[in-house]
């Protein structure tokens, strides 16, 4: 069954059309076309009217002539809505939605780029009017888009201001070409070609030179001057008073362009300026006339700043001209503006396009109409995840009016919850409930059920101790027919029950919720359900199933006409976690860099935890330890700011793990103490689910006991406790947790001198993990486990077992373990031997006073005694020469020897070797 298509249609954008009066900017074109090699970004930055769009269009035409694919997106203020931006970008890229089994990272912007890249080696994306973008999330998306496009791709940006895209780094790498106002100015030769060849004006050389001087090569000023010069008998006198300043241009537009038009055409220009997009039928409705098609044709022929946006009869005014017209309309006829917007709203409503209908109703200051439209369409907008749009619209209405419409207040509260304002939503809900009690108002069923679900959701978001009980009681009063509140609360309860390992209840809730998702067409709720299924698969150790499910969730977004970025974020962040687990950190990082900032817009703490922890671990894997801690600091800050306890707890739990990797058990214990204090406040047993199916206060305490142990007694206690815990975890189907506990057990075995047993057990764990492609836990638990995994990987037994699938797994495992420091084999072994008091060596019974000699160091000693060189020892033991040197340094230190010969003598005296 497929989710019903969104009923809020998306207009596909088109590139503007070149006018016949635009000259070919040959030198400028050579500069742009010659930006090959490793150039990723071309930025044309200059004030309005300097010909940025024309230069970009001409480059686009040249690309089409060469058969090179490209796409164009003219940015508008509405593109500061992340969802709208992602949707429009998907439209211009025009790539088919992938099938469920598509192996590509088919999620959001990166997925669209990858699928487009699969069809062409080169591609150029044009983003015009970039200065309208100020939303930090959209800017970050574009930064990621530019930085992660494949070789052969270029992004061309036109902007009035320097784009906030961290250009310094790209400039240093030679990946950026910048074209400013000086390069865009028309040269004297270009001015001559423009006025004589294109505009057919009979001007002397002196007049042309004067024209180039007073306009300073500004394309718009040249155009405006040429329009006026057509009717001037004394061009020299005209140019003595013409100025290229903004004020002069405004005055010129008013006196020499607008006022010179026939009154019907002037009136048409002014009144249609309220429209962002124009077509004849819309203009007829707004102006209450029937000749708009003729007017548009006349404007187009007269080159009066009218731009065609496609080949379907849609137009818009040049931005500078449109601003001027709207200012003139406000000055000359302010009283007619509301009526124009009102008629536009009615036309869009008749066309079934509620979004522009509501926008124009707002501009008309017709709150009654806005309320009526919102009452009709708010639920559909909620179902489709248009939370920020609803929050802006409803927030602009008067409080008195909204208080009389509880349904809109409920919609506003939902929008607040999912735009990361849960505290404001709680305040609003409290006020609504107080108002109902004071007035005795009886809420209808829709308001009542939404308020019921919302109260429970707010408690869960804040991690309140009684949230689970309240949510369960509230859910019992809801039915699938209640739509969005039922589906959202069902998903949330399913998450709780998943934490309690009651998977039958989880699947029952999700099955019922899915029916509601499908009936209301809520892909937002549906994706949350799919993400939960993926989380269960991760917990149960079924990584391949998790990857498949989360890929389906991102596909669900790709086939949804609205391309809601919030839902992309939910699916993609959890998909990134699964990719990281499978040893694909680069793909995971790409997704997180794009989508993790969006998670903050939705106020779903569990996804934030998964995303921030994964991003921190990727940074640690790359050796950027400062960044790893900084990511955790950001997560903690968000938790403090929004009073979400799990973010603060998980930040300290992960810090505790990283401090142990740095060898600082005291710092780890301090982090753990803070997490435990928060944990007691937020997470009461039986009332709240664990924050993470592996990381918890209990897990962190086990790890600290293991790594911080100062004597063998603690390790022997763990050797008794861990097998019981492993069995319990497996009984609960928590196989992911059982794997980590098994790694603890293996490390305890090794640290107590049971080397062969440790190796045997890690072989068993790896052979069980390989079919699922589980890689990263073996690296994340530190260099000792990573070395043991690498040792198994390079053993003859492992090599004999390899199949093509095993080969892929082996490559990812090796990369992860080396990144974890397993290549420093001697350091890992020294760490294990120095952590506890010396014990008898199991194979010889020998005891060394100054430190424990490991089995591998004894192997090295035996080969040294045979006269083998470091190279020969490395070949014999399947290790690097550097590793052998590390072993020798450890051996000399432990035995108190000054050279290899003395070390052999001392080893024989102490019966370490024969």
């Amino acid at each position: 069954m497929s989710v019903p298509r969104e009923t809020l249609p998306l207009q596909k954008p088109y590139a503007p059309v070149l006018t016949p009066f635009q000259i070919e900017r040959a030198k400028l074109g050579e500069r742009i076309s010659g930006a090959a090699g490793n150039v990723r970004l071309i930025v044309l930055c200059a004030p309005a009217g300097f010909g940025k769009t024309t230069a970009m269009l001409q480059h686009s035409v040249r690309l089409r002539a060469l058969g090179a694919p490209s796409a164009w997106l003219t940015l508008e203020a509405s593109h500061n809505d992340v969802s709208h931006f992602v949707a429009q970008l998907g439209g211009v890229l025009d790539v088919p939605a992938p099938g469920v089994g598509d192996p590509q990272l088919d999620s959001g912007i990166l997925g669209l780029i990858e699928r487009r890249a699969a069809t062409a080696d080169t591609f150029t994306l044009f983003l015009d009017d970039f200065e309208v973008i100020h939303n930090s999330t959209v800017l970050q998306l574009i930064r990621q888009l530019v930085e992660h496009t494949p070789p052969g791709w270029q992004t061309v940006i036109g902007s009035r201001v320097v784009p906030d895209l961290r250009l310094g780094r790209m400039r240093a790498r030679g990946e950026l070409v910048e074209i400013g106002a000086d390069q865009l100015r028309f040269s004297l030769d270009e001015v001559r070609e423009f006025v004589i060849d294109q505009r057919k004006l009979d001007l002397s050389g002196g007049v042309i030179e004067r024209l180039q001087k007073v306009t300073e090569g500004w394309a718009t000023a040249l155009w405006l001057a040429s329009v006026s010069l057509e009717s001037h008998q004394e061009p020299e006198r005209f140019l003595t008073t013409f100025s290229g300043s903004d004020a002069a241009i405004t005055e010129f537009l008013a006196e020499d362009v607008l006022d010179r038009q026939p009154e019907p055409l002037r009136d048409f220009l002014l009144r249609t300026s309220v429209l962002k997009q124009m077509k004849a039928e819309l203009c007829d409705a707004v102006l209450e006339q029937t000749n708009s098609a003729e007017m548009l044709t006349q404007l187009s022929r007269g080159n009066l700043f009218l731009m065609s946006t496609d080949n379907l009869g849609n137009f818009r005014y040049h931005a500078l001209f449109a601003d001027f017209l709207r200012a003139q309309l406000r000055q000359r006829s302010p009283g007619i503006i509301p009526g124009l917007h009102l008629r536009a709203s009615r036309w869009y409503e008749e066309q079934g396009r509620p979004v522009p209908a509501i926008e124009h109703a707002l501009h008309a200051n017709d709150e009654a109409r806005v309320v009526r439209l919102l009452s009709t369409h708010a639920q559909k907008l909620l179902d489709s995840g248009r939370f920020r749009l609803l929050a802006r619209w409803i927030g602009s209405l008067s409080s008195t009016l909204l208080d009389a419409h509880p349904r809109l207040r409920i919609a506003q509260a939902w929008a607040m919850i999912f735009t990361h304002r849960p505290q404001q939503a709680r305040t609003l809900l409290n006020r609504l409930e107080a108002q109902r009690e004071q007035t005795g108002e009886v809420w209808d069923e829709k308001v009542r059920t939404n308020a019921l679900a919302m109260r429970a959701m707010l408690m869960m978001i804040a991690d309140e101790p009684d949230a689970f009980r309240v949510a369960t009681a509230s859910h019992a009063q809801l039915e699938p027919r209640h739509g969005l509140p039922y589906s959202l609360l069902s998903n949330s309860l399913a998450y709780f029950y998943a934490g309690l390992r009651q998977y039958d209840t989880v699947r029952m809730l999700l099955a019922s919720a899915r029916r509601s998702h499908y009936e209301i067409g809520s892909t937002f709720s549906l994706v949350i359900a799919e993400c939960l299924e993926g989380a269960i698969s991760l917990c149960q150790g079924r990584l391949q199933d998790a990857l498949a499910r989360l890929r389906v969730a991102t596909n669900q977004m790709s086939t949804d006409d609205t391309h809601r970025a919030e839902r992309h974020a939910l699916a993609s962040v959890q998909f990134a976690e699964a990719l990281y687990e499978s040893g694909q950190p680069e793909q995971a990082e790409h997704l997180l860099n794009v989508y993790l900032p969006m998670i903050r817009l939705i106020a779903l703490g569990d996804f934030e935890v998964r995303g921030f922890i994964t991003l921190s671990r990727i940074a640690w894997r790359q050796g950027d330890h400062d960044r790893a801690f900084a990511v955790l600091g950001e997560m903690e800050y968000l938790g403090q700011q929004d009073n979400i306890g799990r973010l603060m707890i998980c930040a300290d739990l992960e810090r505790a793990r990283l401090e142990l990797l740095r060898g600082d058990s005291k710092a780890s214990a301090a982090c753990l103490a803070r997490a435990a204090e928060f944990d007691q406040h937020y997470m009461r047993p039986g009332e709240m689910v664990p924050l993470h199916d592996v990381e918890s206060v209990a897990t962190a305490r086990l790890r600290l006991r293991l790594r911080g142990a100062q004597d063998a007694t603690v390790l022997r206690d763990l050797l008794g406790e861990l097998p019981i815990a492993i069995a319990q975890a497996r009984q609960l189907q928590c196989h992911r947790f059982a794997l980590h506990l098994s790694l603890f057990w293996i490390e305890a075995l090794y640290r107590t001198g049971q080397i062969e047993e440790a190796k045997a057990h890690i072989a068993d764990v790896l052979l069980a993990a390989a079919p699922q492609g589980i890689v990263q836990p073996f690296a994340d638990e530190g260099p000792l486990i990573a070395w043991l995994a690498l040792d198994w990987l390079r053993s003859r037994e492992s090599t004999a077992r390899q199949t093509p699938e095993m080969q892929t797994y082996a490559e990812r495992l090796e990369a992860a373990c080396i990144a974890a420091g397993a290549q420093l084999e001697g350091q890992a072994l020294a760490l294990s031997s120095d952590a506890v008091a010396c014990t008898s060596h199991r194979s010889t019974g020998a005891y060394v006073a100054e430190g424990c000699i490991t089995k591998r160091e004894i192997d090295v000693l035996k080969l040294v005694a045979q006269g083998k060189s470091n190279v020969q020892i490395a070949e014999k033991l399947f290790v690097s020469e550097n590793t052998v040197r590390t072993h020798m340094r450890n051996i000399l230190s432990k035995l108190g020897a000054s050279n290899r010969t003395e070390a052999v003598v001392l080893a024989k005296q102490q019966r370490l070797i024969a």
Side-chain angles (χ1 to χ4, degrees):
M1 181 184 296
S2 61
V3 176
R5 290 286 184 178
E6 175 61 69
T7 60
L8 307 176
L10 179 69
Q11 294 296 108
K12 183 175 180 179
Y14 293 85
V17 179
L18 281 169
T19 69
F21 295 104
Q22 291 167 334
I23 68 168
E24 179 66 27
R25 309 288 304 277
K27 291 184 179 179
L28 186 59
E30 290 175 3
R31 173 119 193 254
I32 297 173
S33 300
N38 66 333
V39 173
R40 291 178 175 270
L41 178 64
I42 301 172
V43 175
L44 292 85
C45 183
F50 263 76
K52 302 181 293 293
T53 299
T54 299
M56 293 166 66
L57 282 170
Q58 290 178 354
H59 184 48
S60 175
V61 170
R62 287 191 292 269
L63 291 174
R64 286 200 298 272
L66 295 171
S70 65
W72 184 287
L73 179 59
T74 298
L75 298 168
E76 301 174 351
S78 61
H79 289 118
N80 285 290
D81 182 318
V82 180
S83 305
H84 185 59
F85 172 73
V86 173
Q88 294 275 279
L89 185 63
V92 299
L93 288 179
D94 196 24
V95 293
V100 169
D102 194 323
Q104 297 292 333
L105 293 182
D106 36 48
S107 45
I109 290 174
L110 293 181
L112 292 172
I113 290 173
E114 290 182 11
R115 295 197 297 280
R116 167 57 80 175
T119 66
D121 293 332
T122 62
F123 195 88
T124 303
L125 175 64
F126 294 86
L127 298 176
D128 199 14
D129 291 350
F130 194 89
E131 67 278 356
V132 303
I133 300 300
H134 53 76
N135 183 293
S136 59
T137 301
V138 176
L139 288 170
Q140 182 159 352
L141 284 178
I142 297 173
R143 280 197 294 268
Q144 293 301 320
L145 184 153
V146 171
E147 291 175 1
H148 297 296
T149 48
W153 272 59
Q154 284 185 343
T155 303
V156 182
I157 286 176
S159 179
R160 297 183 187 182
V161 299
V162 178
D164 182 14
L165 297 177
R166 300 175 185 169
L167 300 180
R169 184 168 58 181
M170 298 189 70
R171 191 180 292 117
R173 294 174 178 172
E175 298 174 340
L176 170 67
V177 168
E178 296 173 279
I179 297 174
D182 288 341
Q183 291 79 35
L184 286 165
R185 296 183 194 279
F186 274 49
S187 66
L188 180 59
D189 289 340
E190 288 176 324
V191 172
R192 183 178 294 108
E193 180 183 353
F194 173 67
V195 297
I196 295 177
D197 297 339
Q198 298 295 331
R199 300 292 290 143
K200 308 299 182 184
L201 298 177
D202 186 14
L203 301 177
S204 67
V207 171
I208 293 174
E209 290 179 10
R210 174 67 179 168
L211 179 61
Q212 199 274 339
K213 182 178 180 180
V214 298
T215 62
E216 297 183 337
W218 182 15
T220 292
L222 281 169
W223 170 255
L224 294 173
S226 72
V227 172
S228 186
L229 283 168
E230 286 180 318
S231 57
H232 274 274
Q233 300 300 316
E234 300 179 70
E236 291 86 353
R237 178 177 295 180
F238 164 75
L239 289 176
T240 60
T241 59
F242 182 82
S243 170
S245 68
D246 289 345
I249 290 293
T250 299
E251 183 179 355
F252 170 76
L253 286 171
E255 295 182 1
D256 281 54
V257 177
L258 185 63
D259 289 347
R260 290 193 175 198
Q261 304 307 314
E263 185 175 346
L265 194 58
R266 181 171 64 245
D267 183 62
F268 182 90
L269 286 167
L270 289 171
R271 291 193 292 161
T272 55
S273 66
V274 302
L275 303 173
K276 292 182 178 180
Q277 295 284 332
M278 291 179 291
K279 61 187 312 178
E281 299 88 341
L282 171 59
C283 294
D284 280 344
V286 172
L287 275 56
E288 298 180 310
Q289 61 187 41
T290 59
N291 65 337
S292 295
E294 179 184 341
M295 290 287 190
L296 290 170
T297 300
Q298 190 174 347
L299 290 175
S300 181
R301 288 175 178 172
N303 294 290
L304 285 173
F305 310 102
L306 187 70
M307 304 178 68
S308 173
T309 59
D310 55 33
N311 296 317
L312 303 175
N314 292 295
F315 299 89
R316 70 173 178 88
Y317 291 122
H318 184 283
L320 185 65
F321 192 52
D323 290 342
F324 161 75
L325 289 175
R326 284 190 286 271
Q328 290 293 306
L329 182 63
R330 287 191 297 272
Q331 180 180 338
R332 300 183 184 196
S333 305
I336 71 170
I337 295 175
L340 296 171
H341 281 294
L342 183 58
R343 289 190 287 275
S345 176
R346 289 171 180 165
W347 186 86
Y348 278 118
E349 182 184 10
E350 292 171 359
Q351 300 300 311
R353 297 179 61 187
V355 173
I358 295 171
E359 288 281 8
H360 279 288
L362 284 168
H363 285 297
N365 298 317
D366 191 339
E367 287 194 329
R369 179 174 181 80
V370 173
V371 167
R372 181 180 64 77
L373 288 169
L374 282 172
S375 298
T376 301
H377 299 286
Q379 189 60 57
K380 187 62 181 178
L381 291 162
L382 281 174
D383 294 343
S384 60
R386 301 297 297 272
F387 303 119
R388 288 193 303 281
L389 190 64
L390 277 171
R392 176 170 64 84
W393 282 344
I394 300 176
S396 69
L397 299 174
S398 67
S399 180
T400 302
L401 181 63
L402 286 174
D403 285 343
H405 294 82
R407 285 194 180 188
L408 288 185
R409 281 298 198 192
I410 288 293
Q412 184 182 27
W414 278 124
M416 287 176 173
I417 289 174
F418 290 105
T419 54
H420 225 281
R421 292 180 289 169
Q423 296 302 319
Q424 294 182 38
R426 183 188 291 270
T427 300
L428 179 56
L429 182 59
N430 290 341
R431 192 162 68 82
L432 273 176
E433 291 176 340
Q435 177 182 311
R436 180 192 60 179
E437 292 176 1
Q438 292 172 1
T439 62
E441 178 185 4
V442 178
W443 283 349
D444 62 32
E445 184 182 45
K446 185 175 288 293
V447 175
R448 181 183 61 81
T449 54
N450 272 275
L452 191 69
M454 189 181 299
R455 175 64 65 189
M457 289 279 293
L458 287 167
M459 293 179 70
M460 288 186 282
I461 289 171
D463 292 325
E464 294 183 21
D466 207 29
F468 185 43
R469 182 190 62 79
V470 172
T472 304
S474 299
H475 189 265
Q477 301 179 56
L478 299 176
E479 300 175 12
R481 64 184 177 85
H482 291 133
L484 187 71
Y486 177 84
S487 64
L488 288 174
L489 192 53
S490 296
N491 286 339
S492 298
L493 267 180
Y495 172 79
F496 273 64
Y497 279 109
L500 299 174
R501 316 310 176 199
Q502 298 182 26
Y503 296 122
D504 290 341
T505 303
V506 171
R507 292 189 174 93
M508 180 186 68
L509 282 167
L510 291 180
S512 181
R514 277 195 178 90
R515 289 194 293 271
S516 178
H517 303 330
Y518 287 126
E519 288 174 6
I520 66 176
S522 177
T523 46
F524 179 80
S525 298
L526 184 62
V527 166
I528 293 177
E530 292 297 337
C531 288
L532 180 55
E533 289 277 14
I536 292 173
S537 295
L538 278 174
C539 176
Q540 294 181 336
R542 296 181 290 115
L543 179 56
Q544 294 305 309
D545 183 71
L547 286 166
R549 285 186 178 278
L550 294 168
R551 186 173 286 118
V552 167
T554 56
N555 278 348
Q556 188 70 55
M557 294 300 90
S558 297
T559 57
D560 177 16
D561 286 342
T562 56
H563 292 270
R564 294 275 70 79
E566 295 94 337
R567 288 163 284 166
H568 273 302
L570 296 176
S572 298
V573 165
Q574 193 158 339
F575 191 23
E577 180 189 18
L579 287 167
Y580 175 74
E581 190 95 342
S582 67
Q584 302 179 70
E586 292 81 9
Q587 296 91 323
E589 185 178 22
H590 288 176
L591 290 175
L592 291 172
N593 285 336
V594 172
Y595 291 109
L596 187 55
M598 297 185 196
I599 291 293
R600 200 177 180 286
L601 302 175
I602 312 173
L604 292 177
D606 307 306
F607 290 89
E608 287 180 293
V609 167
R610 292 178 183 276
F612 277 108
I613 287 181
T614 303
L615 191 62
S616 175
R617 292 186 177 185
I618 290 172
W620 185 274
R621 184 185 190 276
Q622 294 169 342
D624 193 347
H625 296 179
D626 289 342
R627 180 166 169 261
F629 279 98
V631 170
L632 298 177
E634 182 181 356
M635 180 169 74
E636 181 182 40
Y637 170 76
L638 295 178
Q640 293 170 341
Q641 186 179 47
D642 299 318
N643 194 33
I644 300 177
R646 72 192 71 185
L647 270 65
M648 294 179 277
I649 298 169
C650 288
D652 270 323
L653 287 177
E654 187 66 8
R655 286 194 191 102
R657 192 185 71 85
L658 296 183
E659 292 292 2
L660 280 178
L661 289 178
R662 293 208 295 194
D664 193 338
S665 58
K666 289 184 179 179
S668 178
C671 294
L672 176 54
R674 287 197 302 269
E677 182 180 354
F678 277 120
D679 191 53
Q680 291 175 358
H681 176 70
Y682 284 98
M683 315 300 280
R684 297 185 182 179
E687 292 185 343
M688 296 293 287
V689 301
L691 294 169
H692 191 287
D693 60 284
V694 171
E695 297 303 330
S696 66
V697 171
T699 305
R701 283 173 176 157
L702 278 174
R703 192 183 283 115
L704 182 60
R705 288 174 62 197
L706 174 65
R707 307 265 169 82
Q710 297 302 312
D711 58 69
T713 303
V714 175
L715 294 177
R716 284 196 294 269
D717 290 343
L718 285 172
L719 286 176
E721 295 172 20
L722 285 168
I724 298 173
I726 293 168
Q728 291 174 341
R730 288 173 178 166
Q731 186 176 8
L732 292 171
Q733 301 182 57
C734 301
H735 298 292
R736 189 187 192 192
F737 184 37
L739 184 148
H740 283 263
L741 292 177
S742 296
L743 297 181
F744 290 175
W745 184 43
I746 290 165
E747 185 168 343
L749 287 169
Y750 194 98
R751 289 177 183 275
T752 55
Q754 302 178 62
I755 311 300
E756 295 305 319
E757 288 85 345
K759 289 187 174 184
H761 284 297
I762 200 160
D764 292 339
V765 173
L766 281 162
L767 288 172
Q772 290 296 327
I774 299 171
V775 165
Q776 204 60 44
F778 298 97
D780 286 346
E781 285 303 341
L784 176 57
I785 293 295
W787 175 78
L788 287 169
L790 202 58
D791 183 65
W792 169 83
L793 186 65
R794 293 171 176 174
S795 69
R796 293 179 180 178
E797 178 186 6
S798 171
T799 304
R801 291 174 181 269
Q802 285 188 358
T803 62
E805 293 78 13
M806 192 66 161
Q807 181 63 39
T808 299
Y809 176 72
E811 291 172 357
R812 289 179 178 173
L813 180 64
E814 183 173 29
C817 290
I818 289 175
Q823 74 274 29
L824 302 176
E825 180 184 345
Q827 176 184 339
L829 294 172
L831 174 68
S832 69
S833 62
D834 293 341
V836 297
C838 283
T839 59
S840 295
H841 194 278
R842 294 176 58 83
S843 61
T844 66
Y847 178 84
V848 182
E850 298 300 325
C852 295
I853 298 294
T854 67
K855 181 179 182 300
R856 181 50 62 96
E857 288 165 352
I858 290 175
D859 292 338
V860 171
L861 275 168
K862 289 178 179 178
L863 293 170
V864 170
Q866 296 173 16
K868 303 292 186 183
S869 67
N870 284 354
V871 173
Q872 292 170 322
I873 294 172
E875 292 175 352
K876 187 73 173 177
L877 297 180
F878 302 101
V879 297
S880 69
E881 188 177 355
N882 285 336
T883 298
V884 174
R885 284 196 288 267
T886 301
H887 282 313
M888 285 305 307
R889 285 196 298 270
N890 292 334
I891 290 168
L892 294 175
S893 174
K894 291 177 181 181
L895 294 176
S898 59
N899 54 51
R900 295 160 69 97
T901 303
E902 185 179 357
V904 171
V905 171
L906 290 172
K908 289 182 176 180
Q909 289 176 353
Q910 298 181 37
R911 298 189 304 168
L912 293 173
I913 59 175

